[in-house]
């Protein structure tokens, strides 16, 4: 799970997160949902990435953000570097997590190796 703070340029807006696990040979996109207003000029949105359970430790997940407001698109790719996290294996029964916490996961009891959101989140601002 993750959170994004978006500058409030128009009342109606959409926010999406585009992500890849193969350096943009393919990508997925998820819509972020409105969470709350933060002051009069920022809105907070939340998103959840459903990542493949087969991602090995060390796999890199890159992402960028897009907001559509007032008929215009605004992209944020971290100044051309893309936001990213790397998968890591914990030495405990917690299973897989993303090493910098932007996107978290724990091993699911639903099936061997399944990765599900851990409920922790960080913010990405743009």
């Amino acid at each position: 799970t993750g959170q994004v703070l978006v500058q409030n340029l128009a009342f109606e807006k959409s926010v999406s997160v585009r992500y890849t696990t193969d350096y943009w040979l393919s990508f997925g996109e998820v819509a972020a949902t409105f969470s709350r207003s933060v002051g009069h000029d920022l809105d907070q949105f939340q998103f959840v990435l459903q990542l493949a359970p087969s991602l090995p430790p060390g796999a890199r997940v890159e992402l960028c953000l897009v907001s559509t407001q007032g008929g215009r698109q605004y992209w944020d790719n971290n100044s051309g570097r893309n936001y990213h996290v790397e998968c890591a294996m914990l030495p405990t029964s917690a299973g897989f997590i993303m090493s910098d916490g932007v996107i978290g996961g724990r091993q699911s009891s639903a099936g061997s190796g399944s990765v599900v959101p851990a409920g922790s989140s960080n913010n990405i601002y743009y």
Side-chain angles (χ1 to χ4, degrees):
T1 62
Q3 298 176 19
V4 189
L5 289 178
V6 178
Q7 190 172 14
N8 188 5
L9 302 175
F11 177 74
E12 289 190 35
K13 64 184 68 68
S14 65
V15 177
S16 296
V17 177
R18 187 170 286 187
Y19 64 95
T20 183
T21 58
D22 60 9
Y23 298 95
W24 302 106
L25 295 174
S26 64
F27 62 87
E29 188 164 326
V30 296
T33 57
F34 176 80
S35 177
R36 65 186 179 103
S37 291
V38 180
H40 68 281
D41 62 343
L42 293 174
D43 288 335
Q44 179 178 311
F45 286 75
Q46 296 182 340
F47 64 92
V48 176
L49 296 183
Q50 299 293 329
L51 300 174
S54 59
L55 286 176
R60 182 180 172 107
V61 180
E62 295 186 49
L63 52 99
C64 60
L65 310 164
V66 61
S67 172
T68 303
Q69 302 184 52
R72 293 187 60 192
Q73 282 191 338
Y74 301 90
W75 286 87
D76 178 12
N77 65 357
N78 195 22
S79 299
R81 298 181 311 240
N82 293 325
Y83 296 97
H84 68 276
V85 293
E86 291 185 12
C87 297
M89 178 71 108
L90 288 180
T92 67
S93 63
F96 295 97
I97 66 163
M98 301 305 193
S99 59
D100 70 357
V102 173
I103 305 163
R106 61 176 168 75
Q107 191 164 358
S108 167
S109 60
S112 175
S114 297
V115 176
V116 297
S120 63
S121 62
N122 280 332
N123 295 326
I124 299 171
Y125 302 96
Y126 79 105

